[in-house]
Amino acid sequence: MAAPESDASKRQNYRLKIAYHGKPYHGWQRQPGKVTVQAELEAAAEALYGEPVAMAASGRTDTGVHALGQVVSFQAPAKHGPLTIRQALNAKLDATIRVLEARRAPGDFHARFSATGKTYCYRILNAAVEDPFRLDVRWFVPRPLDVSAMRRAARHLVGEHDFASFASNPGYARETTVRHVRWLRLARRGDEITLRVHADGFLYKMVRNLAGTLVKVGSGRLAPEELLAIRETRARRAAPPSAPAHGLFLESVQYEGTTPARRFDPAKAAAKRRRAKR
Amino acid sequence: MAAPESDASKRQNYRLKIAYHGKPYHGWQRQPGKVTVQAELEAAAEALYGEPVAMAASGRTDTGVHALGQVVSFQAPAKHGPLTIRQALNAKLDATIRVLEARRAPGDFHARFSATGKTYCYRILNAAVEDPFRLDVRWFVPRPLDVSAMRRAARHLVGEHDFASFASNPGYARETTVRHVRWLRLARRGDEITLRVHADGFLYKMVRNLAGTLVKVGSGRLAPEELLAIRETRARRAAPPSAPAHGLFLESVQYEGTTPARRFDPAKAAAKRRRAKR
């Protein structure tokens, strides 16, 4: 580990990219008596700095929801370099949470308020038999799904619309439920179907609600054209139930000047991560 | 579920292909007071048939070792068809064990004694940071590994040799420790290195011992040429320690007239599984 840097009294803003498996956690947000990602990360940071550190994420994730690239920001004494921070936090954290990247950020950077968009993916195992190795990370749907019908339905979900039919939280009543879905892609690869969606922001449980609805279309129990009417009803009861939490991944968060790749190549992403980490 | 077939008094030999996640189990073999794959499978079969059913696997797997294609044989009343057997067992089993395939087998077929070869794979995550999604299914090796050095070393491990240096069980003292490794392949894909090895049979912990030795070569702490001397010493103490159980997968078992593919294409395998299952 690098030696502490000088001028420990100066404070610095930092930005982390973290990944976590959702299963062991009651979501991101700190809650009394619950094991949460925020509580774990803040405890690791407090052990490093010897003082409480408040972590802000790009947004909450629910119990069981995974993250591949959650972004977190925090203020701390300027005494440790980014590599030290990453290594020290990873040394204290359980391996179900990993700091992939740490860097210094401008003073006005805030993981939530500076975000200009987010990308989620929802992963489905579409096979006749469950896979013991993907139980906690895919929604198992044994009924064959028609991906082209799902794509036709998804056309009604792209663009700037009122997504109230796909928002689970009644607290949105006095807030806008208009969001701009910039793109939504569906791909089948082997026995997996992946839904990836990028928007300027998401309503509560919106991706799981979209996934639940699209799977109903894929299994032939809802016509693709009905999506327009469901959307225009602007009432949660109009749309089918949510998809389960364990298929959902917060893939990446976008800030000024970054755009997410529409095509996700796992091998390329892994190679990039490897280059970045060494 | 299909109606029971006629002639329930007749007995039939069956063959299953099963997959399991190794983490929840004390390996394959039934042991008093332990949760094992054999005990779970026999309990599911007893519930289906209303009488005890003895299951024979191609071989034991240790605690934490996974299976993608373990083969199991058993005798039972001829009253259920293969599809019913698969569905009924899967309905009773925890999803960490799945029956992928069930079929009738000739009366003399035995999962262990009829086997002519086995294929294992050992999977390594070779990256600077652990991955929360592969904790139980890859050996995490942060030190960069030189795969071509590992391949040069592996040449000494292919062919018919005495593999006593790679056998952990002292009980082999009075049995032959000669095995025929038909091929051994190493491939890097993204941040993963996979060792696949096919032989007529394996000694106790042999694949984990080979993997531990090859990783020592890959990290530069052992020269590829030293493998010949280690092999010829014919003593376990000559070789480096075992690789951990959780990176090991029993991939497939070969019987008369079948040969395993040297190249494993996950997408192709998944498509094949999908066709087979529907």
Side-chain angles (χ1 to χ4, degrees):
Chain A
M1 236 171 259
E5 288 162 24
S6 58
D7 199 2
S9 62
K10 226 180 97 194
R11 290 187 79 81
Q12 170 70 42
N13 200 20
Y14 294 96
R15 169 179 172 168
L16 305 177
K17 187 165 92 175
I18 68 171
Y20 47 86
H21 196 295
K23 197 183 183 190
Y25 302 102
H26 278 82
W28 161 263
Q29 198 174 38
R30 181 183 275 283
Q31 295 164 70
K34 304 275 187 193
V35 180
T36 71
V37 179
Q38 184 182 19
E40 295 292 301
L41 201 58
E42 289 181 347
E46 184 166 344
L48 172 62
Y49 288 102
E51 62 176 71
V53 177
M55 298 270 179
S58 71
R60 304 172 196 179
T61 52
D62 282 336
T63 300
V65 174
H66 314 289
L68 302 172
Q70 170 70 290
V71 175
V72 171
S73 59
F74 67 97
Q75 300 266 355
K79 62 183 176 180
H80 300 302
L83 193 64
T84 302
I85 294 171
R86 192 193 79 184
Q87 290 176 335
L89 295 179
N90 281 338
K92 288 174 209 302
L93 288 163
D94 184 80
T96 49
I97 304 174
R98 286 294 91 178
V99 178
L100 305 177
E101 205 179 282
R103 41 178 164 142
R104 292 186 184 87
D108 60 353
F109 177 82
H110 186 281
R112 180 166 161 219
F113 302 122
S114 307
T116 56
K118 271 188 207 169
T119 307
Y120 278 93
C121 59
Y122 195 94
R123 295 174 186 268
I124 296 160
L125 171 59
N126 190 215
V129 178
E130 255 281 25
D131 179 348
F133 300 97
R134 287 179 280 181
L135 296 175
D136 302 319
V137 289
R138 301 291 182 271
W139 182 20
F140 173 56
V141 178
R143 192 164 173 163
L145 297 176
D146 176 351
V147 176
S148 53
M150 293 165 77
R151 283 197 190 105
R152 285 197 302 280
R155 280 182 211 146
H156 299 293
L157 304 171
V158 175
E160 192 167 63
H161 300 295
D162 187 331
F163 284 95
S165 298
F166 303 98
S168 290
N169 195 336
Y172 281 107
R174 281 169 300 175
E175 286 176 34
T176 178
T177 44
V178 173
R179 292 293 184 275
H180 187 180
V181 171
R182 296 190 187 119
W183 49 259
L184 189 160
R185 291 179 69 91
L186 284 151
R188 183 191 285 279
R189 194 188 153 111
D191 56 12
E192 294 201 1
I193 295 170
T194 302
L195 158 69
R196 290 180 66 233
V197 55
H198 173 53
D200 57 352
F202 291 88
L203 302 170
Y204 186 55
K205 286 199 183 171
M206 180 167 154
V207 183
R208 289 166 60 188
N209 289 332
L210 295 175
T213 301
L214 291 173
V215 162
K216 201 158 181 188
V217 171
S219 63
R221 291 171 296 161
L222 188 69
E225 313 77 60
E226 293 182 71
L227 265 278
L228 180 60
I230 289 174
R231 195 192 78 206
E232 292 196 332
T233 304
R234 296 175 200 183
R236 179 67 194 104
R237 59 179 158 63
S242 271
H246 67 272
L248 184 61
F249 295 74
L250 172 56
E251 188 180 298
S252 60
V253 187
Q254 283 68 51
Y255 296 92
E256 211 56 65
T258 64
T259 46
R262 294 194 185 201
R263 289 190 183 278
F264 181 69
D265 179 339
K268 215 169 159 184
K272 197 180 156 191
R273 276 204 305 280
R274 220 164 48 240
R275 281 196 305 274
K277 284 171 194 172
R278 295 234 177 268
Chain B
M1 234 170 260
E5 288 163 25
S6 59
D7 200 2
S9 63
K10 226 181 95 195
R11 291 187 77 82
Q12 170 69 43
N13 201 19
Y14 294 96
R15 167 179 172 169
L16 305 177
K17 187 166 93 174
I18 67 170
Y20 47 86
H21 195 295
K23 197 184 182 188
Y25 302 103
H26 279 81
W28 162 262
Q29 198 174 40
R30 183 183 274 283
Q31 295 165 71
K34 303 275 187 192
V35 180
T36 71
V37 179
Q38 184 182 19
E40 295 291 301
L41 201 58
E42 289 181 347
E46 183 166 346
L48 172 64
Y49 288 102
E51 61 176 72
V53 177
M55 298 270 178
S58 70
R60 304 172 195 180
T61 52
D62 282 335
T63 300
V65 173
H66 314 289
L68 302 172
Q70 169 73 289
V71 175
V72 171
S73 59
F74 67 97
Q75 301 267 355
K79 61 182 176 180
H80 300 301
L83 193 64
T84 301
I85 294 172
R86 191 192 79 183
Q87 289 174 337
L89 295 179
N90 280 338
K92 289 174 208 305
L93 288 163
D94 184 80
T96 49
I97 304 174
R98 286 295 90 179
V99 178
L100 305 178
E101 205 180 282
R103 41 179 165 143
R104 293 186 184 87
D108 61 351
F109 177 82
H110 186 282
R112 180 165 161 219
F113 302 121
S114 307
T116 55
K118 270 188 206 168
T119 308
Y120 277 95
C121 61
Y122 195 94
R123 295 174 186 268
I124 296 160
L125 170 59
N126 190 216
V129 178
E130 255 283 25
D131 180 349
F133 300 97
R134 288 179 279 181
L135 296 175
D136 302 318
V137 288
R138 302 290 181 271
W139 182 20
F140 173 55
V141 179
R143 193 165 172 162
L145 296 176
D146 177 351
V147 175
S148 53
M150 292 164 78
R151 283 198 190 104
R152 285 197 302 279
R155 281 183 211 146
H156 300 293
L157 304 171
V158 176
E160 190 166 66
H161 299 295
D162 187 331
F163 284 96
S165 298
F166 303 98
S168 291
N169 196 336
Y172 282 107
R174 282 168 298 173
E175 287 176 34
T176 177
T177 43
V178 172
R179 292 293 183 276
H180 187 179
V181 171
R182 295 187 189 120
W183 49 259
L184 189 160
R185 291 180 68 91
L186 284 151
R188 182 191 286 278
R189 193 189 154 111
D191 55 12
E192 292 200 3
I193 295 170
T194 303
L195 158 70
R196 291 180 65 233
V197 56
H198 173 54
D200 57 353
F202 291 89
L203 303 170
Y204 186 55
K205 286 200 183 169
M206 179 168 154
V207 183
R208 290 166 60 188
N209 289 332
L210 295 175
T213 302
L214 290 173
V215 162
K216 200 158 180 186
V217 170
S219 63
R221 289 170 297 161
L222 188 69
E225 312 77 60
E226 293 182 71
L227 265 279
L228 180 60
I230 289 173
R231 195 192 79 205
E232 293 196 332
T233 304
R234 296 175 201 182
R236 178 67 195 107
R237 57 177 161 63
S242 271
H246 67 273
L248 184 61
F249 296 74
L250 172 55
E251 189 181 297
S252 60
V253 186
Q254 282 67 53
Y255 296 93
E256 212 57 66
T258 64
T259 47
R262 294 197 184 200
R263 288 192 182 277
F264 182 69
D265 180 339
K268 215 168 159 183
K272 198 181 155 190
R273 276 202 308 277
R274 219 163 50 240
R275 281 195 306 273
K277 285 170 194 172
R278 295 230 178 271

